[in-house]
Amino acid sequence: MTHGDHHTGTAHDHTGHAADPHDGDHGGHAKGSGASWSTAAKATLHCLVGCAVGEILGMAVGTALAWGNVPTMILAIALAFVFGYSLTLFAVRRAGLDLRSAIKVALAADTVSIAVMELVDNAIIAVTPGAMDAQLSDGLFWSALLGGFAIAFLVTTPVNKWMIGRGKGHAVVHAYH
């Protein structure tokens, strides 16, 4: 997507952009350019919020209903994807995209990021002794879950940086900001 594609159908004076240090790279996420760590961290944080809401809700429901580990993790992961995609869907719909196009953008923007985050977070929880059997009132439950999110953030940020730098992942959402 070119800079001109952002302004289709509107009058826009491009002369004021000559001194803009971000022109042409839109904050370090244009196709072919290296993405900034700040841009990658913001994209990862966006993903983390959706994942955290979905995963905490799924873990809480599964734990409260005394479900086994596998169904609880499946619910948590499914809800992480639902909430992760939803945040992007709402943002691009608010920007005027039709539902079908918004779904395509959300899938393109978030799938790899959410998948990496969920893989890392759930692996941390699974290998933390006792975490899968901990109850909602146990500090171990929350420390494993939140520690998993922190490590997932650290692992997913470079993945997002690489993808954004190639015009993929969260970079496709920025066309609608």
Side-chain angles (χ1 to χ4, degrees):
M1 174 148 300
T2 66
H3 180 78
D5 292 338
H6 290 281
H7 304 290
T8 303
T10 62
H12 186 74
D13 179 14
H14 290 271
T15 58
H17 290 288
D20 185 354
H22 298 293
D23 194 37
D25 75 355
H26 289 111
H29 59 268
K31 188 173 183 174
S33 71
S36 71
W37 282 105
S38 174
T39 298
K42 287 176 188 173
T44 306
L45 186 58
H46 175 268
C47 176
L48 179 66
V49 169
C51 287
V53 169
E55 187 147 340
I56 289 170
L57 181 60
M59 291 287 198
V61 168
T63 302
L65 296 176
W67 287 2
N69 292 340
V70 172
T72 298
M73 286 185 91
I74 290 171
L75 177 63
I77 292 167
L79 290 176
F81 273 92
V82 168
F83 279 89
Y85 287 141
S86 294
L87 290 178
T88 298
L89 274 172
F90 292 137
V92 296
R93 290 282 291 143
R94 197 174 30 233
L97 221 57
D98 64 284
L99 182 60
R100 183 179 174 101
S101 298
I103 290 170
K104 288 179 181 179
V105 167
L107 291 173
D110 296 332
T111 299
V112 172
S113 184
I114 294 171
V116 170
M117 191 160 292
E118 285 304 298
L119 177 68
V120 172
D121 179 51
N122 283 284
I124 299 299
I125 293 168
V127 301
T128 301
M132 291 301 297
D133 297 319
Q135 298 298 310
L136 294 175
S137 59
D138 295 336
L140 179 59
F141 174 89
W142 293 103
S143 63
L145 187 63
L146 298 176
F149 286 141
I151 294 168
F153 178 84
L154 295 174
V155 171
T156 307
T157 299
V159 172
N160 281 332
K161 182 180 186 311
W162 181 82
M163 290 178 56
I164 294 166
R166 280 146 191 80
K168 305 210 181 293
H170 199 77
V172 299
V173 174
H174 288 280
Y176 304 100
H177 286 243

